[in-house]
Amino acid sequence: MKKPNASDRLLTVREVLDILRIGRTTLHQLRRRGVIEAVHIGRAVRFRASDIERLIEHGAEVER
């Protein structure tokens, strides 16, 4: 079995909001626009740490 690294970690909505310093509405806009992809585990929503890192590195404009 492959050993997971930190980039494979799944983050909660709250963790993503804290890391990116954005609100829920902005996160939902990013998801709707396809800038960030969510992983659904049952009813839980998670985000790949690697996707968040990529977003930080490359940035994204949010429609207002």
Side-chain angles (χ1 to χ4, degrees), residues 6-9 47-55:
S7 294
D8 293 335
R9 185 170 165 243
F47 299 90
R48 288 181 191 88
S50 58
D51 291 344
I52 303 306
E53 290 170 6
R54 191 175 319 107
L55 181 64

Side-chain angles (χ1 to χ4, degrees), residues 2-53:
K2 180 181 169 186
K3 184 177 177 182
N5 61 32
S7 294
D8 293 335
R9 185 170 165 243
L10 294 177
L11 304 171
T12 65
V13 170
R14 179 82 259 162
E15 290 173 319
V16 173
L17 297 178
D18 290 343
I19 290 168
L20 297 178
R21 301 181 117 187
I22 59 174
R24 285 185 185 272
T25 302
T26 302
L27 181 59
H28 290 304
Q29 288 175 345
L30 292 171
R31 285 181 60 193
R32 195 170 38 251
R33 291 178 50 218
V35 173
I36 185 171
E37 184 178 335
V39 176
H40 295 271
I41 303 171
R43 293 179 63 189
V45 177
R46 299 291 184 265
F47 299 90
R48 288 181 191 88
S50 58
D51 291 344
I52 303 306
E53 290 170 6

